[in-house]
Every structure is written in C-alpha cells, then in structure tokens.
Amino acid sequence: MPTLILVRHGRSTANTEGLLAGWTPGVALDERGAAQAAALPGRLAELPISEVVTSPLQRCQETIRPLLDARPELTAHTDERIGECHYGDWSGRKLAELMDEPLMEVVQAHPSAAQFPGGESMRAMATRAAEAVREWNARVERDHGADAVYLMCSHGDIVKSLVADALGLHLDLFQRISVEPCSITAIRYTRLRPFLVRLGDTGDFASLAPRAEPPSGDARVGGDAGAP
C-alpha cells in the first residue's frame, strides 16, 4: 500500500494572532508561513509524488501552491474530509479566552467526548479523516501501484488524529502528539499495519530551545504556531 506524506499548512495569520481559525474564511499564510511553503518543493525534491490532496481551506491551498508550480504534472484534489475540525461557535475566538471554557478541559483530557457548540465532535473529525485516507490509499494504489507516494496538506488536529489512528492510539491520547506548521509526517501503509516513519519533521530544531515562558501542559487546539 502507498506511503502518505502529511503536510500541516504553513504558519497562518490565525496562528500568530492566537485565534482558533477553524473554517473561518480568509485565513492566509503569514510571512513566515509563505517562506515555509516556498521551501517545501526543495524538501520534497527526492520524492516521486503521484497525487496531491488538500483541504479546501486557503492556508492549505497556499501551502501547496509552490509545490504545484514546481511540478506542473501534478494537480491538487480537494477533499473536505481532511479540512479543519468544525469548531462551530469557537471559530475565530482567542485561544486565551477559550482556556476558561469548561469544554476545554474535555478537549484536553477526553477529546473523544468533545462536541464543539454549533460544530462537530472531535470523534467525527477523526473518523472522516481516517476514511478519506483509506479511500485515497486504495485509489493511489490502483492508479500508481503499491509503492506509490502521495501527499495530503491538512491541519494540526487532522494530522494528529491520523497519527493516532496509525499507531492504534485511542483518540483520547492524541493531544500528546505535536506537529508544527509546515511539518512533514510520513505514514507507510501495509496490508497488516501502518508504520509511522516521520513525525512533525521541519528540519529545524529551533522550537526545541527553551522559551521565555514555560510550556503549558495543555495541547494547543488546532496546533501550535511553531518556533517564534
């Protein structure tokens, strides 16, 4: 079965403003995110990518544009199932404000039970993303062979849920996984089991350096903004 390259979108304006973007329209890459996207073709230069699948949201479309420009033989397939979680009434709000919401404790400790007001559950998000990957695995193998490599550009919580699925982890443990903007995660699927062969690889270790403020024990919903 194929190897899936998961790319989280580059750093966005919502990441730097501390907002939970969700499906809010008009959320673009910031200057750093655009530079991350521009570097992506070089990072993936040695990979024979057969298909590109992307979330419909602007920040993902902008992230893969340089790759598509560098490889005109590729076209992007849009799949809403790998779009961001529908955060409903939480969309567009400051993450700092949301930390006081009682639901946030559920999101952190028991995400499989979290249902966003006016939105979807994290369980439904994880299910639709996993179903999309399984369908694309079959399609890519049919069209390009069992050793094919394909790419999906998606969002932090989607990538984390797919990693948890590949590792056989309960969704309640997926907040222990961290993927930075424009990081690359690779999962090699086989008939019996998936293998996680890369996780959140940016090629940059700056985010591991100590920060002025001690890191919180909570996971940042939607994904961290990465190195400052």
Side-chain angles (χ1 to χ4, degrees):
M1 295 178 71
T3 295
L4 170 61
I5 307 299
L6 283 164
V7 177
R8 184 186 168 199
H9 62 78
R11 196 173 76 174
S12 72
T13 54
N15 292 143
T16 50
E17 292 171 9
L19 300 176
L20 184 62
W23 284 69
T24 304
V27 177
L29 298 183
D30 68 6
E31 185 176 351
R32 183 187 180 98
Q36 292 170 332
L40 197 57
R43 294 170 63 197
L44 299 172
E46 297 184 18
L47 291 180
I49 297 171
S50 59
E51 299 280 1
V52 173
V53 187
T54 181
S55 157
L57 296 173
Q58 179 179 340
R59 52 198 182 274
C60 287
Q61 302 275 340
E62 291 179 354
T63 298
I64 61 163
R65 176 47 53 192
L67 177 65
L68 297 175
D69 289 343
R71 300 198 192 189
E73 74 279 7
L74 292 175
T75 56
H77 306 274
T78 299
D79 193 325
E80 292 197 358
R81 294 174 297 176
I82 62 166
E84 181 64 282
C85 186
H86 290 274
Y87 296 117
D89 297 343
W90 279 25
S91 299
R93 292 181 61 188
K94 286 276 190 182
L95 284 163
E97 297 173 0
L98 292 171
M99 295 307 295
D100 295 329
E101 295 280 352
L103 178 60
M104 183 59 82
E105 185 177 7
V106 181
V107 170
Q108 294 293 329
H110 190 18
S112 65
Q115 171 81 44
F116 293 99
E120 71 179 331
S121 67
M122 300 200 90
R123 186 175 63 255
M125 173 204 73
T127 298
R128 62 172 162 85
E131 288 175 349
V133 166
R134 280 157 177 75
E135 289 183 19
W136 277 102
N137 281 349
R139 176 173 173 174
V140 169
E141 181 171 4
R142 181 197 69 204
D143 294 345
H144 303 283
D147 294 329
V149 176
Y150 75 107
L151 181 147
M152 282 185 167
C153 185
S154 189
H155 306 265
D157 282 347
I158 295 286
V159 175
K160 288 163 55 178
S161 73
L162 290 171
V163 170
D165 176 75
L167 293 176
L169 295 178
H170 195 284
L171 187 63
D172 286 346
L173 301 179
F174 100 129
Q175 298 289 30
R176 302 183 182 196
I177 300 165
S178 177
V179 289
E180 291 195 17
C182 222
S183 62
I184 293 172
T185 295
I187 302 171
R188 180 174 296 124
Y189 289 88
T190 74
R191 185 174 64 86
L192 294 180
R193 64 183 62 85
F195 292 90
L196 178 65
V197 293
R198 292 288 189 280
L199 175 61
D201 189 342
T202 63
D204 180 359
F205 296 102
S207 64
L208 301 181
R211 300 191 185 184
E213 296 182 5
S216 167
D218 289 334
R220 185 158 178 171
V221 183
D224 197 1

